[in-house]
Amino acid sequence: MMKMNIILVLFCIIVPLAFGELKVGFYDSSCPKAESIVKKVVQNRFNRDNTITAALLRLHFHDCAVRGCDASILINSTTSNTAEKEAGANVDVRGFDLIDEVKENLESACPSTVSCADIITLATRTAVSLSGGPKYQVPTGRRDGLVSNINDVKIPGPSSPVSIISQFFNKNLGLTTQEMVTLFGAHTVGVASCGFFADRLSGPDPTMDPALKAKLVKLCSARDRDPSTPLDQNTSLVVDNEFYHQILANKGVLQIDQQLALDKSTKGFVADLASDEAKFQKSFANAMVKMGSVDVLVGTRTLTTTNTKMKYLITIVMLFVFPFAFGDLRVGFYGSSCPKAEENVRQIVQRRFNRDRSITAALLRMHFHDCFVRGCDASILIDSTKGNQSEKASGANGTVRGFELIDEIKKELETTCPSTVSCADIITLATRDSVAMAGGPRYDVATGRRDGLVSRASDVALPGPGSTVAGAQRAFAANGLSLDEMVTLLGAHTIGVAHCSFFRNRLNDPNMEAGLRAKLGRVCRPNGDPTAFLDQNTSMVFDNEFYNQIILKKGLLFIDQQLALDPLSSKLVSDFAGNSAAFARSFVNAIVKMGNIKVLVGTDGEIRKNCRVFNK
């Protein structure tokens, strides 16, 4: 009872300082540079990727359309909850890494002050103006939601009739049909992959311009990928009213876009916005501000809605006030329990690296193969038994190596700090250290992971070297990683090797540079299965050269080469090829995020004494 009273007192002290109302300039006193920090980070991203505007508009809408504008779309899934990110409607949503970057900058300037919900709103507003759209003010003061569940995502699809879409906007979002048509104008900077409109190409469709249809049929004929096309075929990177002209000319790519110009309830609004650019700009700004206010959490609202929310808030406050009482993931987790843990890991990895520099690639692959199956829980280290075929026995893991290095580290740590440091943390730390030794970025990783209690070969379903970009993207999205993060993480192939069996079928592929084809033809004799470097230039250095190689069509694996060819990923490949610092920064963010996939903390799982077997 006394503890609960303390918690309630803390609520009385902490909460009034943290809560406020929605208004323009909400952070003027608490974080005066908040909006300029957001603008600077978004500007930097826009300078190298002007498609970010479409990404942020979609992220903002998909957040507000589910439980209101509360940043619930940003939450990662856990072992006990599948978050909104995992919903099919959100698989292609991107821009999460940009929000993370903005948040990191704001936390440095004004810790625990600016909400993620406000960051989404401000970042979207900035991106819209950078793309030629209206400049407008948005009120801030939103607070972040406490629930993110995949079952709450019920956003109508691109083939839904106008009546269903209108009903969703009217009843769920409180927006008029005119505002709905205005917000669809955001498609002027959007793109859609073939999978979203393929049904319009398979048969007669008198509502699509014949020339556009022929163009899209040709684009979507490739069987090995799922390319995308602009929704506005004219000014595809500018926020203007051209989208409405396009759909009036039967050049709507998505079924719902074209129907806006044909349905009697919406075609008048389409014609009106098409005829007056200034009116569209003003209407779009007003509709964006209104959408950004859908079911926002402000003031003390989250304290008074339901008992369930109160329980969540108590948990959050306890985590901030009593951080050492919980077994959570944090940098320096072993500072007291095993002070030399990270130093011991680094020393052993350094010794191995000195005689075998290929260990970096081995550890990166092990880390990835572990985290993508049941999360980062060291389940890949478990040996098979008579009663169970473990993950190691899976074909996808047949060439994974480095297990003996993990054993060596574990043996040392069990001597100095018995039953303290998890095998999952050892993999993460060893990978981090080996990347730095190979010339890659140095970075901190949070520790406190615990080891899993299950390892089954049947659970291993990893994207293979012959995957398309779209196929690989789905696998990464299922683990909470964006397309940008996927392209970044595949940059680890700058120090990897591949057996001939993984790329032999490409030795007659015109998408492989002729000189490389001839070289690999000599390496990959009929007998045996030798290896070749994935980066033909700086094959033992962790750098951005991999991207330059695939731009030159020197990618060995099909998926690697497709990164440079597919419109979904080619822009980022080009950016990383020309900016090693940007790649290094992005890699740190992505590898840290990957290392947090479905981790076990607190009292979940166990701390294995031997990484190869479960404790008895």
Side-chain angles (χ1 to χ4, degrees):
M1 185 65 181
M2 181 175 291
K3 288 183 179 179
M4 182 57 71
N5 288 337
I6 291 172
I7 291 168
L8 292 174
V9 169
L10 287 166
F11 261 98
C12 293
I13 295 172
I14 295 170
V15 171
L17 297 176
F19 285 74
E21 297 297 330
L22 206 64
K23 63 182 181 184
V24 173
F26 178 86
Y27 299 108
D28 284 353
S29 298
S30 59
C31 191
K33 294 185 178 181
E35 296 198 24
S36 64
I37 289 172
V38 174
K39 182 178 180 181
K40 181 179 179 180
V41 176
V42 175
Q43 177 76 69
N44 289 339
R45 175 64 175 272
F46 182 84
N47 289 345
R48 61 183 177 86
D49 177 15
N50 52 9
T51 68
I52 194 61
T53 302
L56 288 172
L57 280 163
R58 190 159 184 243
L59 174 67
H60 191 19
F61 172 72
H62 280 231
D63 180 47
C64 294
V66 181
R67 305 187 67 85
C69 308
D70 64 351
S72 52
I73 195 172
L74 304 180
I75 296 295
N76 290 335
S77 295
T78 65
T79 52
S80 59
N81 178 65
T82 305
E84 291 174 25
K85 276 184 181 178
E86 310 296 338
N90 290 331
V91 166
D92 296 326
V93 173
R94 61 187 182 91
F96 300 112
D97 58 321
L98 175 62
I99 303 302
D100 291 341
E101 186 178 350
V102 175
K103 183 64 173 172
E104 182 178 353
N105 278 265
L106 288 169
E107 284 299 302
S108 296
C110 315
S112 302
T113 302
V114 183
S115 69
C116 300
D118 275 342
I119 291 173
I120 294 175
T121 307
L122 291 168
T124 305
R125 184 269 308 267
T126 299
V128 166
S129 66
L130 291 173
S131 295
K135 299 180 185 293
Y136 56 96
Q137 290 187 314
V138 292
T140 45
R142 295 164 188 77
R143 291 179 61 79
D144 299 324
L146 301 172
V147 177
S148 181
N149 191 288
I150 188 174
N151 296 322
D152 293 331
V153 182
K154 299 174 182 177
I155 300 173
S159 297
S160 300
V162 171
S163 58
I164 296 297
I165 300 286
S166 295
Q167 185 179 38
F168 180 81
F169 273 77
N170 298 162
K171 293 186 177 181
N172 293 57
L173 306 181
L175 297 169
T176 67
T177 300
Q178 183 175 5
E179 289 164 338
M180 176 194 80
V181 176
T182 301
L183 288 170
F184 264 91
H187 283 185
T188 192
V189 291
V191 298
S193 57
C194 292
F196 287 106
F197 56 86
D199 56 323
R200 299 193 66 206
L201 306 179
S202 58
D205 187 343
T207 68
M208 180 180 283
D209 171 76
L212 174 62
K213 184 172 182 178
K215 175 183 176 182
L216 296 179
V217 167
K218 183 177 180 181
L219 174 73
C220 300
S221 61
R223 296 183 178 182
D224 60 345
R225 59 193 183 98
D226 187 20
S228 60
T229 187
L231 296 176
D232 171 352
Q233 298 288 307
N234 194 5
T235 57
S236 56
L237 292 173
V238 182
V239 175
D240 57 15
N241 68 335
E242 180 60 25
F243 166 77
Y244 302 105
H245 292 283
Q246 296 282 299
I247 60 176
L248 286 172
N250 280 4
K251 293 183 179 180
V253 175
L254 299 179
Q255 180 71 26
I256 180 57
D257 289 352
Q258 191 56 60
Q259 288 304 308
L260 292 177
L262 300 173
D263 193 281
K264 62 181 181 180
S265 68
T266 53
K267 64 181 183 180
F269 298 130
V270 170
D272 194 30
L273 293 169
S275 67
D276 192 336
E277 169 72 19
K279 184 171 185 178
F280 163 68
Q281 296 279 355
K282 182 178 179 180
S283 297
F284 187 76
N286 292 336
M288 285 295 294
V289 171
K290 186 173 178 181
M291 185 191 78
S293 301
V294 172
D295 290 338
V296 293
L297 304 174
V298 295
T300 58
R301 180 174 167 190
T302 51
L303 286 175
T304 57
T305 48
T306 65
N307 289 333
T308 300
K309 286 187 175 181
M310 175 65 82
K311 290 176 182 177
Y312 277 112
L313 277 169
I314 290 172
T315 301
I316 289 170
V317 170
M318 288 179 73
L319 285 170
F320 278 108
V321 178
F322 308 116
F324 300 108
F326 292 81
D328 210 352
L329 213 61
R330 64 177 184 268
V331 174
F333 181 86
Y334 299 109
S336 298
S337 59
C338 193
K340 294 186 177 181
E342 296 198 25
E343 181 183 346
N344 289 341
V345 173
R346 185 188 60 78
Q347 289 176 346
I348 295 173
V349 173
Q350 182 71 69
R351 289 200 299 268
R352 174 63 177 270
F353 181 83
N354 290 344
R355 67 177 191 270
D356 175 15
R357 296 182 64 182
S358 71
I359 193 61
T360 303
L363 288 171
L364 279 163
R365 188 162 183 242
M366 178 192 291
H367 192 20
F368 169 74
H369 281 228
D370 181 47
C371 292
F372 264 54
V373 181
R374 305 188 66 85
C376 308
D377 65 350
S379 51
I380 195 172
L381 304 179
I382 294 295
D383 288 337
S384 295
T385 63
K386 290 183 179 180
N388 178 62
Q389 290 292 299
S390 69
E391 291 175 27
K392 277 183 181 177
S394 166
N397 289 330
T399 55
V400 174
R401 62 188 182 87
F403 300 114
E404 76 289 345
L405 174 61
I406 304 301
D407 291 340
E408 184 181 352
I409 296 171
K410 183 62 175 174
K411 182 178 180 181
E412 173 69 20
L413 291 173
E414 283 298 303
T415 300
T416 56
C417 312
S419 301
T420 302
V421 182
S422 70
C423 301
D425 275 342
I426 291 173
I427 294 175
T428 307
L429 291 169
T431 303
R432 184 269 310 267
D433 292 340
S434 70
V435 166
M437 291 169 193
R442 300 178 184 277
Y443 55 96
D444 287 327
V445 292
T447 45
R449 295 165 188 78
R450 289 173 64 83
D451 300 322
L453 301 172
V454 177
S455 180
R456 294 187 295 252
S458 57
D459 290 335
V460 179
L462 296 164
S467 299
T468 62
V469 171
Q473 181 186 7
R474 286 191 290 272
F476 275 74
N479 285 286
L481 295 169
S482 68
L483 174 66
D484 286 9
E485 288 160 342
M486 179 190 85
V487 176
T488 301
L489 289 168
L490 286 175
H493 285 180
T494 190
I495 53 172
V497 298
H499 287 268
C500 289
S501 55
F502 286 111
F503 58 84
R504 196 185 300 274
N505 61 343
R506 295 200 62 229
L507 298 183
N508 294 313
D509 187 343
N511 281 325
M512 180 182 284
E513 191 263 341
L516 178 60
R517 281 206 313 270
K519 175 183 176 181
L520 295 177
R522 293 190 296 271
V523 171
C524 299
R525 299 292 184 182
N527 297 324
D529 192 18
T531 61
F533 290 114
L534 296 174
D535 171 352
Q536 296 292 304
N537 194 6
T538 56
S539 52
M540 288 292 186
V541 180
F542 194 97
D543 57 16
N544 66 331
E545 182 59 24
F546 165 77
Y547 300 104
N548 289 297
Q549 294 285 297
I550 60 176
I551 287 174
L552 295 173
K553 294 191 175 180
K554 292 185 177 181
L556 267 67
L557 302 180
F558 179 79
I559 180 58
D560 289 352
Q561 192 56 62
Q562 287 303 304
L563 293 178
L565 298 174
D566 195 297
L568 284 172
S569 51
S570 59
K571 179 65 167 59
L572 193 60
V573 168
S574 178
D575 290 341
F576 284 158
N579 192 332
S580 60
F583 165 61
R585 183 171 57 251
S586 187
F587 184 81
V588 168
N589 292 335
I591 195 76
V592 169
K593 185 175 178 181
M594 187 190 80
N596 293 340
I597 294 174
K598 299 178 184 176
V599 295
L600 303 175
V601 295
T603 58
D604 291 336
E606 64 182 8
I607 304 296
R608 285 184 218 141
K609 297 177 181 179
N610 179 340
C611 292
R612 292 175 178 263
V613 297
F614 301 120
N615 294 341
K616 295 181 179 179

